[in-house]
């Protein structure tokens, strides 16, 4: 049997090209060698999205994004996290193997604490327990299916380390029940820069959505921050936020030609932005049509997710049974 690749998308915003390059694209490349389980982490989104319509809509968007970008639901398994009850049972079990100190040191939580402290607020202000225990549910997401590899962006590295620690402790306490997973983090796309040069992230409001209408994408591309060098001046391509995005989508030859033009002088940022916009259009226009068609057909999306959940549970149920047995939980289920 093939080994398992698994990853999740948290539906908290429209998927953007940082998500695409950092996670979706590498994940889609793994499907030829692995059995893929790719899911929508809707219950993780609940830590921040507290609006019914929005959560529903974002979950469909994330699903349509995977499908439009090439995930084949007859081969790959795509499902909603919330459709797998076993994952929440496993999360409790794992919580009992997760040192509280480990969660205190988790970046996402620590950053908010530090912001609170520097603003003179109480340190846990605005932090719900779901956000605090987020890494435990994530460990359950991964360990429940016997996952071998987890394609993720660099920001998830620590979560994978926590998952491994918890799996190793569980195995040491009982026996080798858990597969200890490996993170797959692509070095060439470690960090995708956003419009302002910081990491592309919804929380910085500096993203280019993959499937927004053309005029919105054009607007975002035009907003990319550059310096004020005139066209004839030589420029450093490695310090340019437009080039930083362009090079991920252009073929090598075009990227090299552009690099030379930056160095030689003769490149206007406005023209470069136009080229980037056109490149994004040609990269995603077919998939965007597919995405829009899927978003018009919620019944189809529901069907795909239901089928996926059924298949995912075939992996989850026996592993959860093994966990219960190993611990000494001998109830009727
Ligand atoms: N935390 C991930 C993110 O924010 C989403 C996620 C949830 C995930 N569960 C996962 C990713 C399990 C990989 C494996 O992007």
């Amino acid at each position: 049997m093939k080994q398992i690749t698994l990853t999740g998308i948290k539906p908290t915003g429209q998927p953007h090209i940082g998500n695409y390059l950092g996670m979706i694209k590498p994940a889609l490349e793994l499907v030829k060698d692995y059995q893929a389980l790719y899911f929508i982490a809707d219950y993780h989104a609940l830590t921040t999205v507290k609006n019914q319509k929005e959560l529903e809509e974002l979950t469909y968007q994330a699903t349509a994004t995977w499908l439009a970008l090439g995930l084949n639901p007859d081969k790959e398994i795509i499902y909603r996290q919330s459709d797998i009850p076993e994952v929440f049972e496993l999360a409790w079990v794992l919580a009992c193997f997760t040192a509280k100190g480990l969660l205190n040191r988790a970046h996402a939580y620590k950053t908010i604490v530090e912001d609170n402290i520097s603003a003179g607020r109480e340190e846990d202000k605005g932090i719900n327990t779901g956000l605090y225990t987020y890494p435990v549910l994530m460990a359950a997401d991964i360990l429940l299916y016997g996952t071998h590899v987890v394609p993720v962006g660099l920001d998830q590295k620590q979560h994978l380390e926590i998952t491994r620690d918890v799996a190793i402790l569980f195995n040491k306490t009982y026996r080798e029940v858990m597969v200890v997973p490996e993170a797959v983090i692509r070095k060439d796309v470690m960090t995708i820069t956003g419009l302002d040069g910081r990491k592309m992230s919804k929380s910085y409001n500096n993203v280019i959505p993959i499937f927004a209408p053309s005029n919105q994408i054009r607007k975002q591309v035009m907003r990319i921050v550059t310096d004020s060098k005139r066209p004839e001046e030589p420029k450093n391509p490695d310090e340019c936020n437009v080039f930083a995005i362009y090079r991920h989508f252009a073929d090598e030859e075009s990227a090299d030609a552009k690099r030379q033009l930056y160095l030689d002088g003769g490149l206007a940022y406005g023209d470069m932005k136009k080229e980037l916009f056109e490149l994004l259009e040609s990269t995603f226009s077919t998939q965007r049509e597919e995405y829009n068609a899927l978003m018009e057909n919620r019944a189809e999306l529901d069907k795909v997710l239901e089928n996926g959940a059924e298949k995912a549970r075939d992996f989850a149920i026996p592993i959860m049974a093994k966990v219960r047995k190993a611990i000494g939980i001998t109830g009727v289920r």
Side-chain angles (χ1 to χ4, degrees), residues 68 107 147-148 221 314:
H107 298 312
T147 303
H148 300 90
V221 170
D314 288 343

Side-chain angles (χ1 to χ4, degrees), residues 6-12 19 23 37 39-42 44-45 79 81 134-135 137-143 147 149-153 155-156 159-160 163:
L6 172 145
T7 196
I9 283 196
K10 185 171 52 158
T12 50
N19 303 136
M23 195 273 264
L37 282 91
F39 69 96
I40 318 301
D42 49 358
H44 270 122
Y79 59 98
Q81 177 188 42
Y134 185 113
L137 180 55
M138 181 155 162
D141 286 331
I142 297 168
L143 300 177
T147 303
V149 295
V150 187
V152 279
D155 60 331
Q156 299 298 314
H159 287 151
L160 260 294
T163 302

Side-chain angles (χ1 to χ4, degrees), residues 112-124:
I112 309 178
V113 168
E114 281 161 8
D115 288 350
N116 278 337
I117 291 171
S118 60
R121 291 186 293 258
E122 193 242 316
E123 66 173 44
D124 280 335

